[in-house]
Each structure stands twice: as C-alpha cells, then as structure tokens.
Amino acid sequence: MKNDLNLTDFLKDVFSSFDEKVENSGLVSICVEIPCIDLFQVYELLINQYPFSSFWEESDGISYIAFEKCKYVTLDGPKRFEVAKEFNSENFKNLINLTNESHNYALSKIIYLFSFSENLNNKNLPSDIPSLEAILPKILITKSGKNCWLRINGHVEGKSSLRTLIEEIWTIRNQVINSGSELIKSSGLKTSFDSPFIDDFSRSLETSKTNMKKVVKRGIQLVEKDILEKIVLANRIKIKLKNKLDLVEILKRFKKKQPNTCRYVWKRNSKDILFGATPEKLFSFSKPNLTLEALAGTISTNSNFKKLLKSTKDLKEHNYVIQHLIKSLEVSKITNFKKSDIKVNSFGDISHLQTLIFSKVENICPFELLKNLHPSPAVCGYPKNVALDWINTLESFPRGNYASPMGWVDSSGNASFLLAIRGARCIEENIEFTAGSGIVSGSVLEKEIDEIKLKFESIVKQIFCAKNPR
C-alpha cells in the first residue's frame, strides 16, 4: 500500500479518532502504511536532517530507521534495566494511537542502548557514555519483507498542533515515497581504498600487540590457576580520521559482504556515531516465540568448518554460553524450551559456532530477561562477577557500548536485542575499533591474538573498502 491515499481523507480520519480518544491534549502516535522502500536510500535522504538517528536492518525480521527524540531518558547510574522498564511502561501507557495498526510489525517501538556495564567498580576508567539511553523516536520507519510503515509520535495541544503533526508525517511520507528519484542511484558499491588510513591502522595494530599479548597472557594464567573458567578480553585501537566516512555506503557494504549479520547505527549526533554489523543476537521475542542465541567459538570462513566443530577449546567456550542462557531462562521461570543442533554459521570473513534455544511463552519482561542474560560468557566470562572485575583490571579502557545490548520493545511487549560488536565508534575526529577473544583452558596465546586481529580486519576493510590491512 498505498500511493492513492490523499491528505484530506487522512486528516479527516485522524481528527475523528482524536475526537474519540483524546480530551484535548496528549502524547499521540500516527501511523501510515507506505510502499516498500529501500532503507539505505531513505536513511541517506534523511540522516542529515536530524541530529539523532538509529538504524537496524536484518534480512529476517523487523528492520527500522528512527529519527529524532519524542520522549527519552538517559541514565548514568545503577538500576538501568529497572529504569528502562519504568520508562517503557509509562510511555506506552500514555501513548494514544490515532490510527489502526494494520500489522503487529507496525506497532509503536521504543529503542534502547545500554552500556556494557555500569562501571561502578571501575572509577579509574570513567566511561563517557550513559548506562542507558531509551528513546521513543519522533519518526519511525519500519520494514518487514515487502511491508513498510511510517509513524510519527508527538505531544499535541488541541487540533491545531495535531494538524501540524499530520502535515509533518505527510511531508515525510512524500519524501520517502520519492526517495528513489531524489537520490542519484549508484550502479554498485564504491571500491576506492583509503590507503593512508589502512597504513595508520596497521601501525597502531602492530604497536598495540605488545600490550595485547600481555593482557591475553594474564587471562590465560587466570584460567590455568582456576581463578576463572572463562574470560573475554578485548583490545581497542583509536585512529584519527582523515576523511569523513560515508556511513550509508558502509552499511551497504556490510549487507553485501557480511550476510547474516544485523546492521546497526546509534547516531547521537554528527560527532558521536556507533555502528557495525553484529553476528550476535541476545534474544528476540515475537509472541509467543522466544529465541535465544549462543554464539561463541571462532574460525576464519576460509578454514575447514569441521576443525571448529571438533575443537575442544571452542566447544568448551560455546558450552559456557549455552549453560548461561539456560540458567537465565530458569531464573525467569521458563523451563520448557528446545535447543537446536550446534552448527557453524558464517558472517562474512568470520564464522562462529551457533546454537539456538527456543521457547513458547505468553509474556516476558524483556528488561528482566536482559538483566539475567547480560553480560553473557560470550562477551564477559565465567563466573560473571569475577570476570567483570578482571576485565576492569586488565583492560586499559572502559568498554562503553562495546558488546552492549541494543534493541527495541514494541507496545505489545515484543522485543529484539543484539550485542553491539563488530563495529566502530566515530567520536569527534577519531574512530575507535574494539575486538576481543574468549579464553578458556586450552587457549593458546598466538591463536587468541590472531582471532582478535581477524575481527579487527573484518570490520576495518569494510569501512575503508580495502583488502586485508597489512
């Protein structure tokens, strides 16, 4: 649907609904179905018109683009999942839908980004990002398959301000529908290499190796001494940007070169942008279907997959995650679940062991589940609290949003959350890359360093359209 919808009839329908549902003022939501659109084209068209935006695209499931903030909360302290739950409940309670929802996928959504941890025990490495960012976006474009919807949220005071909101969504609707003709279509992906950056990255990677080896070696020692059973240790490389990045072009490259990932963006403003292509979903809930994902154990896609499936070290690393997911379900009083067979799934240059866990539940609180799930052994370690303490001790930087939950919850309680890995953060004139590896008994220092290097290179060469950095 629907090119033939006209503004007059749309105004009439929304005003009629307003008269029925709203006394005079309130937080309202207006949705209209639109023809199937190219998310990349629309994002490129609108990204510079709004300070804040977020992008989420996956091949199977719901994709969205969000612009500007209607309602939001930012938290720097503890109890972030409790605050998120309260914000979610309060805003969906107050939000008045003035249009009929044609599909569950079209429902109102609040989007969330958490930090990796609350950093309460790491005062020497204060983080520059909040523990929680929760946003009811002003503008939301949702896509599922060939179906697309445009939604606008806003506080109105009477019909005059309501009309202004309706005219705004109508203007955006026309822009979106015509987005294909308003942008010059590219015949394919750009192939120019940013050689100076690749040289800078290669030098920085080489310089960081000494410290990287020292940290990973200490992690191996902790496991060998039975202080920990598993720990995930990360390295960060920070480079000065010489040229402005073409974010939409990078997202296109992610989609083509790293299939099966979820492409994501959290653009706080033009000088602070988190983006990437993650292979890892924490969970998704589409009533009544709950799916959790264990993803741990790594190999280059060019290697023999049988080697990964027979690797004692990688299977051990993977099983810690499975056990954690099952325990988290049990804490949430979910005992009826099924587990898929373990398999190797490819995400561009890198492949991982993957196991899915399925359950059918009438309802869950996504924030209580998040609190139980995060951080999992896939990005932290086991036992969790001991691993967190050692991560704060050994890593020379606050993780910030690296390996942190990002996702959405809709007005019916459906939800989906990923882990923000395989990405980068543009901050001021710099770009930061973070990658890590999981250490268990049997880990070998050089192999762990190679894994971190592989993860760095998989993202760098897509961002700068280069061959493997030297």
Side-chain angles (χ1 to χ4, degrees), residues 122 124-125 211 215 234-236 391-399:
N122 198 8
N124 293 326
L125 294 172
N211 184 64
V215 170
N235 187 42
R236 176 165 293 168
I391 286 169
N392 287 335
T393 299
L394 295 175
E395 292 180 357
S396 61
F397 54 89
R399 285 198 175 184

Side-chain angles (χ1 to χ4, degrees), residues 128-293:
D128 63 341
I129 61 123
S131 298
L132 161 69
E133 295 165 84
I135 296 169
L136 174 67
K138 181 177 182 182
I139 299 156
L140 181 69
I141 298 167
T142 309
K143 182 175 182 179
S144 178
K146 297 293 184 181
N147 301 305
C148 296
W149 300 269
L150 169 64
R151 178 178 295 278
I152 192 166
N153 301 306
H155 185 84
V156 297
E157 297 280 349
K159 287 191 174 179
S160 177
S161 60
L162 175 61
R163 184 182 181 96
T164 300
L165 199 66
I166 296 170
E167 289 174 347
E168 184 174 357
I169 191 176
W170 198 258
T171 299
I172 296 168
R173 170 189 178 271
N174 292 337
Q175 277 186 288
V176 168
I177 289 174
N178 297 321
S179 60
S181 60
E182 292 185 36
L183 292 168
I184 300 173
K185 292 187 178 180
S186 171
S187 59
L189 296 178
K190 298 175 185 176
T191 56
S192 59
F193 297 167
D194 193 337
S195 297
F197 178 89
I198 297 303
D199 291 339
D200 287 351
F201 173 81
S202 298
R203 283 191 293 269
S204 296
L205 181 60
E206 194 63 35
T207 302
S208 72
K209 271 189 177 179
T210 301
N211 184 64
M212 202 190 318
K213 286 182 178 180
K214 180 181 176 182
V215 170
V216 172
K217 185 177 181 180
R218 183 67 176 121
I220 292 173
Q221 290 171 347
L222 291 170
V223 171
E224 288 175 344
K225 292 178 180 179
D226 293 327
I227 296 170
L228 287 160
E229 294 183 48
K230 178 181 179 181
I231 186 168
V232 179
L233 292 170
N235 187 42
R236 176 165 293 168
I237 294 176
K238 188 174 184 179
I239 304 291
K240 189 171 182 63
L241 276 174
K242 292 181 170 64
N243 302 303
K244 186 177 180 181
L245 295 180
D246 186 339
L247 185 58
V248 175
E249 187 68 22
I250 291 167
L251 293 171
K252 290 178 183 177
R253 230 176 279 149
F254 282 157
K255 181 173 184 176
K256 182 173 182 179
K257 302 293 185 180
Q258 298 189 352
N260 301 322
T261 61
C262 181
R263 282 68 65 183
Y264 65 90
V265 177
W266 192 275
K267 176 177 173 274
R268 294 182 177 97
N269 52 62
S270 61
K271 293 188 176 183
D272 189 352
I273 307 172
L274 177 77
F275 65 96
T278 181
E280 190 159 0
K281 271 284 193 74
L282 256 180
F283 74 91
S284 60
F285 179 53
S286 180
K287 293 183 177 180
N289 299 307
L290 174 65
T291 305
L292 280 65
E293 179 181 87

Side-chain angles (χ1 to χ4, degrees), residues 7 190 199 303 357:
L7 178 58
K190 298 175 185 176
D199 291 339
S303 302
I357 298 174

Side-chain angles (χ1 to χ4, degrees), residues 406-432:
M406 173 182 165
W408 55 264
V409 180
D410 73 20
S411 56
S412 185
N414 302 302
S416 188
F417 280 84
L418 56 75
L419 284 178
I421 58 174
R422 302 296 147 76
R425 182 189 180 198
C426 287
I427 179 72
E428 299 293 340
E429 306 301 322
N430 300 300
I431 185 167
E432 295 175 348

Side-chain angles (χ1 to χ4, degrees), residues 85-99:
K85 179 181 178 180
E86 184 179 339
F87 178 85
N88 197 79
S89 176
E90 178 183 349
N91 281 282
F92 281 138
K93 179 182 177 182
N94 294 333
L95 191 65
I96 305 167
N97 280 302
L98 298 182
T99 45

Side-chain angles (χ1 to χ4, degrees), residues 4-18:
D4 56 353
L5 186 66
N6 65 73
L7 178 58
T8 302
D9 290 341
F10 189 60
L11 277 166
K12 182 179 177 182
D13 290 344
V14 176
F15 277 141
S16 176
S17 180
F18 181 81

Side-chain angles (χ1 to χ4, degrees), residues 256-373:
K256 182 173 182 179
K257 302 293 185 180
Q258 298 189 352
N260 301 322
T261 61
C262 181
R263 282 68 65 183
Y264 65 90
V265 177
W266 192 275
K267 176 177 173 274
R268 294 182 177 97
N269 52 62
S270 61
K271 293 188 176 183
D272 189 352
I273 307 172
L274 177 77
F275 65 96
T278 181
E280 190 159 0
K281 271 284 193 74
L282 256 180
F283 74 91
S284 60
F285 179 53
S286 180
K287 293 183 177 180
N289 299 307
L290 174 65
T291 305
L292 280 65
E293 179 181 87
L295 198 78
T298 303
I299 197 169
S300 169
T301 299
N302 295 327
S303 302
N304 187 337
F305 288 176
K306 290 182 180 178
K307 184 178 178 183
L308 185 61
L309 286 166
K310 293 180 179 179
S311 166
T312 303
K313 180 264 180 184
D314 289 285
L315 289 169
K316 186 181 297 181
E317 186 181 344
H318 188 77
N319 284 329
Y320 280 122
V321 183
I322 293 175
Q323 291 166 16
H324 173 76
L325 298 185
I326 291 173
K327 184 177 179 181
S328 296
L329 287 177
E330 291 171 347
V331 170
S332 299
K333 298 181 179 179
I334 299 171
T335 55
N336 184 21
F337 57 83
K338 294 181 180 179
K339 188 174 67 171
S340 74
D341 292 334
I342 190 171
K343 69 174 185 176
V344 179
N345 201 357
S346 297
F347 306 90
D349 295 335
I350 302 176
S351 298
H352 296 287
L353 292 174
Q354 182 187 60
T355 301
L356 301 179
I357 298 174
F358 307 98
S359 182
K360 289 190 179 294
V361 293
E362 290 185 13
N363 210 352
I364 59 166
C365 173
F367 306 105
E368 291 176 7
L369 187 56
L370 269 177
K371 187 175 180 180
N372 294 331
L373 286 172

